[in-house]
Amino acid sequence: MGNSLIFAIGNMGSKLVQFVLIPLYSYTLTTSDFGDADFLTQLVYLLTPIIGLELFDAAFRFALDKKEDKIVVFNTTLFPLLIISLVTILITLLLKQIVGSYPVLITGIFLIANIIFAFFSNFIRAIGYVKEFAIAGIVNTVFMGISSCLLLVFFKMGLYGYILSFTIGLVSGCIYIIIAAKLFKFINLKSINKTKLIAMLKYSVPLIPNYFAWWLNASSDRLFIITMIGASANGLYAMASKIPNFINVVTTIFSQSWQISIVEEYDHKGNKKFVSNVFVSFVSALFLVGILIVTFARPIFLWILDRSYYEGWKLTALLVLAVIYNGIALFLEAIYTAYKKTFSVLITTTYGAIINVLVTVSLIPLMGYYGAALANVISFFVVILIRIIEVHRIGILNIDVKRISVYHFLFFLVSFISLICKNVILVSIIGVFICALILLFDKNISKQFNMLKGRKK
């Protein structure tokens, strides 16, 4: 709870800035431009673990172990990444000569900045710089927001300005981490350890195809939409996907704390009860936030965003459910990685990716971008179903099927009401009322509040 509170402060500030920027993007970028911008950013997020060899995740996991030498872990990760960054720059310079219509060079720099920021932030989080980690996220987003306003509104740089603003934010975050955590004191060429690098790669390499499969689950829909329907449709779909980011706030805050806690607790005798209790609380929080987002989706699209994106509100329920399932899958993935069973993570994600691609290609011709959203829901559901069965089988997790079923029913009820009822005020009242009932009658939530009160006393 202590770590989660710190992460919440950091993430809420950064996500608030991102939410404020949504109207800015809707008014400064056409649906087609935003579709291209979203495609490039998703491409960078796809290439980050592939080009970076997932070494930043290995650095986090190895630096968490008390027996590990932190200086060895830092340098064994840093110098391979610097070599990778240099090669990436050279490749983008060559591609710039071939592809002239896209901002290739700045996208390559964006990619490098994303890799280095992931490494720095994961490392300092593992060695106890939790506050600095949270502040780095705020620094990143604030500078990205300021540069977005300047580059898109005043300089009208369009697609190039959108990518450049993300890069500026990441570089600013890296500079802050270097100063705040005094990373220079960790640099030592003699501490680069080949044996440690091999061990880290054994951990991280299975995560590369896993991330690619995860990207197919979470973001390949954008690629299929832009190729099968067009950039304009992808822009509308991408804008609709921004709204469920509030659930990603909950997931991110929790995951950052959960990854630390599960490593500390996985070999304790009471780990099954611990994991089961945390799982119930996490699922409750996801569905509560999800119901609220579905409740207020139409007013957001109607009163805040440009009217050219209005139709996107109808996608919200499916996109929210997909994000909820995504969060649950990440929860279960942290258990696998705590036990260093990264190959099992790869297998389960691959199943979901294959299903996602097949269903997306089948449904888009029939349902348009609704088919892509539905494919995400189905694929993530398959992933969490397989992982729940496996985790339950090895005796780590108990599942409260009744509670989860009730949450699904309430979510579908609010989604159905929001679609058939044209009175946004009435929908808002019903949604808030249902959330109030959940808070009032869910014994697990009241138990958590009572526990926290007892801790304070």
Side-chain angles (χ1 to χ4, degrees), residues 3-11 125 130 133-134 253 256-257 260:
N3 284 339
S4 293
L5 180 61
I6 295 171
F7 293 139
I9 294 170
N11 281 282
R125 178 162 59 111
V130 178
F133 170 83
I253 291 168
Q256 290 165 352
S257 179
I260 297 173

Side-chain angles (χ1 to χ4, degrees), residues 138 143 173 230 275 284 337 383 410 419 433:
I138 296 177
F143 275 87
V275 172
S284 300
T337 53
V383 171
L410 294 175
L419 284 172
F433 177 72

Side-chain angles (χ1 to χ4, degrees), residues 56-85:
F56 38 83
D57 278 336
F60 170 75
R61 180 61 185 88
F62 277 72
L64 270 178
D65 285 340
K66 295 179 181 178
K67 62 181 180 180
E68 293 285 355
D69 187 326
K70 315 306 180 190
I71 294 178
V72 171
V73 172
F74 180 80
N75 289 279
T76 303
T77 308
L78 175 63
F79 287 97
L81 290 183
L82 290 178
I83 294 171
I84 289 170
S85 299

